[in-house]
Amino acid sequence: MRKTIPAVTTAGLALALAACGGGSSTPAASPAASGGSSAAAAAAKTLEGVTVEVAAKWTGAEQENFQQVLKAFEAKTGAKVTYASTGEDTGAYLGPRIQGGNPPDIAILPQPGLVGQYADQKALKPLTPEVLAQIDQNYTPYWKELGSAGGQSYGVLVKAAHKSLIWYRDQAFQDAGAQPPATWDDLIKTAQTVADSGTPPFSLCGASGWTLTDLFENVYLSTAGPENYTKLSKHEIPWTDPSVTTALEKIAQLVGKKEFLLGGSAGALQTDFPTCVTQVYGQDKSAMVIEADFVGVTAEQSGAKLGEEAKYFPFPKAGDTAPVVLGGDIAVALKDSKGAMALLEFLASKEGGEVWAKLPGYLSPNRNVSPDNYPDELTKKLAETIIAAGETVRYDMSDLAPSAFGGTDGKAEWKHLQDFVRDPSDIKGIQAKLEADAKKAWK
């Protein structure tokens, strides 16, 4: 997943859909609606006089919507919540405050790797039984593990980005007589059909290395399965494993045909995100772009109406598993306070998730938040795929890796996958380089 993306990343599809659907925002849930009857809400106000500070990277519309969730918590508990924006570099903001002994009560981390980092620094507070009860009730065991370190649970995954999508320009498909594919083999056939019609099938965002890790992760999850995905994300199996070979062989079917890529491999490696999106929508140079729900924002900015000219299909199965890869944000407590734990309990609950889901720009990893809460049909469908995938959903692998391996421009995984796009013929050589860098990063 990209590391320094502004609010578009988590605002994503629903924000754009709200704009093109004629409603700039959705009204916040009233205290009665979010907290039950007024009598029940009054009875629940056990935090009168308590102040809770929350720090997150969100600004603009994302911040405003999150603050509506915080208002629902305030109405239910009587607490007062203040918000601080960390900016894009969450670590740079939190580091001095932790060292100075003045951290916020709650921090929302953009990468699970930071949970382990701050746990090692003894900066995090273990979740209380009440918070854990909400997690056990509303999340799969995988998400609980994701917020844990050293056998201790610290975090709640509160917001998701859906990364298993391929967006297409409807007119290009109509001109080629193509249909959205359901399997990888069908995708390759569809790409050939589109190429034969005179339009390059894919605008590949190869200059932004994180997009190539997203492509790999979807193919690998589908071909190797969720258990191997988890093992590779922890470097419990090597990058020279045959399961990695299989995934790269699949990807080579796509990147190995120059007519499949706008500008060939050289052009793909010079195209960043979001330029790859504008090449599909607005410039009409290509038919498809492989990326997450946040593509919808750029597509709309390029003049394409979502659900009409800008459409998507689920990332096709390349193996036995229909891949669902998520990015997301994890809330942790940096102070051992009643207010901090109460807010984490609320964010982990079905109630808190449903308040948030009614607002634009949100996808919940909470399996008990009904898709009916979302304000538009396409976001409902994304939520349904998350729920349907159940135990096979996995988190963005590159964000689980040490940043030296999975998150550094021009180095390690990003560089080697770019080299693979440049020349997909030497799969074993690429695997050897990936493994060499992985060994260094996981020392």
Side-chain angles (χ1 to χ4, degrees), residues 15-16 42 69 72 97 121-122 127 130 139 188 207 217 222 230 233 264 292 335 367 378 386 399 402:
L15 189 59
V69 180
R97 292 197 58 179
Q121 296 174 15
K122 309 298 183 185
L127 300 179
E130 292 80 8
Y139 293 81
I188 299 304
E217 288 154 12
S222 187
T230 298
S233 71
K335 287 184 178 178
R367 62 186 171 188
L378 292 186
I386 295 173
D399 274 358

Side-chain angles (χ1 to χ4, degrees), residues 8 21 28 48-49 82 89 157 164 202 216 234-235 274 297 315 335 381 429 438:
V8 157
E48 295 280 3
T82 62
D89 194 338
L157 188 69
S164 298
F202 296 101
F216 172 81
K234 299 177 180 180
H235 198 223
V297 175
F315 197 97
K335 287 184 178 178
K381 291 178 181 177

Side-chain angles (χ1 to χ4, degrees), residues 18-380:
C20 71
S24 59
S25 64
T26 301
S30 67
S34 60
S37 69
S38 58
K45 289 188 176 183
T46 58
L47 297 177
E48 295 280 3
V50 173
T51 299
V52 182
E53 184 187 12
V54 180
K57 69 177 183 178
W58 302 318
T59 59
E62 267 188 303
Q63 177 183 333
E64 292 172 7
N65 288 337
F66 180 52
Q67 286 180 314
Q68 294 299 322
V69 180
L70 299 180
K71 286 180 182 178
F73 172 75
E74 290 176 326
K76 179 177 182 179
T77 65
K80 177 177 175 56
V81 184
T82 62
Y83 179 87
S85 178
T86 67
E88 283 303 316
D89 194 338
T90 302
Y93 176 89
L94 292 177
R97 292 197 58 179
I98 292 172
Q99 293 169 10
N102 183 37
D105 295 271
I106 299 290
I108 298 181
L109 308 177
Q111 292 176 248
L114 292 174
V115 175
Q117 176 181 319
Y118 291 129
D120 289 343
Q121 296 174 15
K122 309 298 183 185
L124 302 184
K125 305 305 177 183
L127 300 179
T128 61
E130 292 80 8
V131 182
L132 289 172
Q134 290 295 333
I135 292 175
D136 289 339
Q137 180 177 341
N138 298 315
Y139 293 81
T140 67
Y142 176 76
W143 297 126
K144 184 177 182 179
E145 180 184 351
L146 202 65
S148 303
Q152 184 71 58
S153 295
Y154 296 103
V156 179
L157 188 69
V158 295
K159 194 175 187 185
H162 199 303
K163 312 205 75 178
S164 298
L165 304 173
I166 297 181
W167 290 78
Y168 69 98
R169 184 163 52 87
D170 187 62
Q171 190 61 54
F173 268 44
Q174 288 188 36
D175 292 343
Q179 297 293 325
T183 68
W184 182 264
D185 289 344
D186 288 341
L187 176 66
I188 299 304
K189 292 175 183 177
T190 297
Q192 189 63 62
T193 298
V194 173
D196 291 344
S197 75
T199 298
F202 296 101
S203 179
L204 196 67
C205 330
S208 300
W210 56 267
T211 68
L212 301 180
T213 68
D214 289 349
L215 171 59
F216 172 81
E217 288 154 12
N218 276 285
V219 175
Y220 188 79
L221 177 56
S222 187
T223 56
E227 291 185 7
N228 279 332
Y229 185 101
T230 298
K231 290 178 182 178
L232 186 62
S233 71
K234 299 177 180 180
H235 198 223
E236 293 175 354
I237 57 176
W239 282 80
T240 50
D241 191 81
S243 63
V244 178
T245 308
T246 298
L248 292 176
E249 287 173 347
K250 292 283 187 181
I251 297 171
Q253 296 174 355
L254 189 155
V255 302
K257 283 200 169 186
K258 295 191 184 300
E259 68 269 27
F260 279 8
L261 305 180
L262 179 62
S265 57
L269 291 170
Q270 293 172 13
T271 303
D272 66 1
F273 187 96
T275 302
C276 54
V277 181
T278 61
Q279 288 178 339
V280 174
Y281 303 110
Q283 298 179 19
D284 295 350
K285 291 182 177 179
S286 186
M288 290 179 277
V289 60
I290 304 169
E291 253 312 319
D293 54 9
F294 46 74
V295 164
V297 175
T298 304
E300 191 214 15
Q301 291 171 345
S302 301
K305 190 164 185 179
L306 300 184
E308 294 183 10
E309 182 64 350
K311 297 182 178 180
Y312 70 82
F313 51 86
F315 197 97
K317 289 176 62 174
D320 293 332
T321 301
V324 177
V325 177
L326 300 183
D329 303 278
I330 296 179
V332 295
L334 287 82
K335 287 184 178 178
D336 192 10
S337 67
K338 186 176 180 181
M341 288 299 164
L343 180 53
L344 287 182
E345 183 180 354
F346 181 75
L347 293 175
S349 70
K350 177 176 181 287
E351 177 188 358
E354 288 183 345
V355 172
W356 209 341
K358 290 180 173 68
L359 302 168
Y362 179 73
L363 274 174
S364 178
N366 185 322
R367 62 186 171 188
N368 290 320
V369 172
S370 170
D372 291 338
N373 287 282
Y374 293 99
D376 55 80
E377 287 301 319
L378 292 186
T379 310
K380 287 180 184 178

